[in-house]
Amino acid sequence: MKNIAVIGAGTMGNGIAHTFAQSGYNVQLIDISEASLERGINTITKNLDRMVAKEKISEADKTATLKKITTFTDISEGVKNTDLVVEAATENFDLKLKIFKQLDDVCDDNTILATNTSSISITKIGAVTSRPEKVIGMHFMNPVPIMKLVEIIRGYSTSDVVTSTIMDLSKRLGKTPTEVNDYPGFVANRILMPMLNESIETLYNGVAGVEEIDTVMKLGMAHPMGPLQLADFIGLDVCLSILNVMYDGFKNPKYAPCPLLVNMVAAGKLGVKSGEGFYDYSESRKAEKVAKQFSK
């Protein structure tokens, strides 16, 4: 494999593009607008600058990585002559089906189609194509350039050859691929999301406050980040979407999202991306923290 297309220049998409390009692959990054692509490239550039500052890569490595990435707003153009397409669009079932139907029409017959979905059925996505044996899940973790795990999810029809190819490719990216089967939430989110949801329930029921809950889990369970802070980092809308997929898939009330989570998403309190979730990430809050530092 030499040529990789990545659909979506958001947090996950630009991280996946960065990782492939830094590993020497030609990357065709696709999004619906030039503004989104510009933001994605700017994020990649900033992340590479941090790596240069920490002496993890050289300035020449940074330049070479950026040269490997070409941007497109047209999917048909962006996926030409690619060996693999990795879809990293919004976690929306209907949107993903629409994208994969289009990819099936415009991609070469031998192109493998992967999705970065964190919960949606690979089998259902593959079923809308004429090549379900070539459809597979590549669930990268955020931040992609740093996190080692990639969940490799086989759909019902995914072939052994495609699975082996993607496992080997992930290793060449310096990742640790782990093969799992296609059930709602896979492994990572099937275990993680109920924990986050229970943390939100604990807050909702008045057992403890936000910082207290996170402190207990960080100091008592050695978690690097508290569950409520982690939910903010993931995006509360994403957490809600994944919980809904699992609840619909298993019909088990233990996956039902907490009413507080539902209300916060409805109110637009999505976490870091919106500037407020369980914590305040607004510019005024940042200024307040800086002022406190200088006053000490």
Side-chain angles (χ1 to χ4, degrees):
M1 286 193 175
K2 294 182 179 178
N3 302 316
I4 313 294
V6 178
I7 297 177
T11 300
M12 296 305 296
N14 70 60
I16 294 167
H18 172 164
T19 300
F20 272 107
Q22 193 175 332
S23 297
Y25 294 89
N26 300 315
V27 178
Q28 292 157 215
L29 181 60
I30 306 162
D31 209 307
I32 58 175
S33 73
E34 291 289 354
S36 296
L37 289 166
E38 185 177 345
R39 285 193 297 271
I41 294 296
N42 286 341
T43 298
I44 294 170
T45 303
K46 289 176 182 176
N47 288 336
L48 288 168
D49 284 337
R50 289 193 193 96
M51 297 177 79
V52 171
K54 293 179 180 178
E55 298 184 346
K56 291 186 176 181
I57 62 171
S58 67
E59 190 68 35
D61 292 330
K62 169 193 163 183
T63 301
T65 297
L66 290 171
K67 283 183 177 180
K68 286 284 185 181
I69 304 173
T70 309
T71 60
F72 297 85
T73 54
D74 186 323
I75 284 185
S76 299
E77 288 296 316
V79 299
K80 280 185 178 178
N81 303 315
T82 53
D83 303 300
L84 169 69
V85 178
V86 182
E87 172 272 320
T90 303
E91 190 74 352
N92 178 284
F93 179 71
D94 292 333
L95 174 62
K96 289 188 187 296
L97 293 193
K98 180 180 177 182
I99 290 172
F100 272 79
K101 285 179 183 177
Q102 184 176 1
L103 290 175
D104 190 43
D105 289 338
V106 300
C107 289
D108 295 339
D109 291 341
N110 292 325
T111 302
I112 295 173
L113 306 181
T115 174
N116 183 58
T117 181
S118 55
S119 62
I120 295 171
S121 169
I122 308 303
T123 301
K124 289 181 180 178
I125 292 174
V128 302
T129 75
S130 62
R131 63 182 91 187
E133 75 284 355
K134 291 186 174 70
V135 176
I136 195 166
M138 288 186 81
H139 180 206
F140 290 87
M141 304 293 128
N142 185 30
V144 180
I146 296 171
M147 300 293 279
K148 291 293 185 182
L149 176 67
V150 184
E151 263 190 316
I152 306 299
I153 306 103
R154 295 184 65 139
Y156 186 83
S157 301
T158 307
S159 73
D160 291 341
V161 171
V162 166
T163 302
S164 177
T165 298
I166 297 302
M167 292 284 283
D168 290 343
L169 174 64
S170 300
K171 291 174 185 176
R172 291 199 294 275
L173 295 176
K175 304 299 185 186
T176 301
T178 302
E179 182 182 338
V180 305
N181 290 318
D182 186 21
Y183 291 95
F186 316 133
V187 171
N189 282 317
R190 184 168 177 174
I191 295 170
L192 174 64
M193 286 301 155
M195 184 192 76
L196 299 188
N197 197 44
E198 191 62 30
S199 302
I200 299 169
E201 284 278 2
T202 303
L203 177 67
Y204 179 59
N205 292 330
V207 178
V210 171
E211 293 187 7
E212 288 76 12
I213 291 168
D214 279 355
T215 298
V216 167
M217 296 305 290
K218 285 191 289 184
L219 300 186
M221 311 303 165
H223 289 192
M225 184 183 293
L228 298 177
Q229 185 182 10
L230 178 57
D232 275 353
F233 185 70
I234 293 169
L236 302 191
D237 53 336
V238 175
C239 294
L240 178 59
S241 175
I242 295 169
L243 284 164
N244 280 330
V245 167
M246 293 197 295
Y247 183 55
D248 291 342
F250 291 116
K251 300 296 188 290
N252 189 322
K254 74 178 181 180
Y255 299 116
C258 175
L260 175 59
L261 175 62
V262 174
N263 281 344
M264 289 180 72
V265 172
K269 311 298 185 184
L270 309 181
V272 175
K273 69 174 77 176
S274 69
E276 185 180 351
F278 294 107
Y279 292 87
D280 186 352
Y281 305 93
S282 63
E283 289 301 321
S284 61
R285 180 62 175 158
K286 290 177 184 176
E288 182 184 323
K289 286 183 178 179
V290 171
K292 285 183 177 178
Q293 289 176 346
F294 278 102
S295 66
K296 290 180 181 179

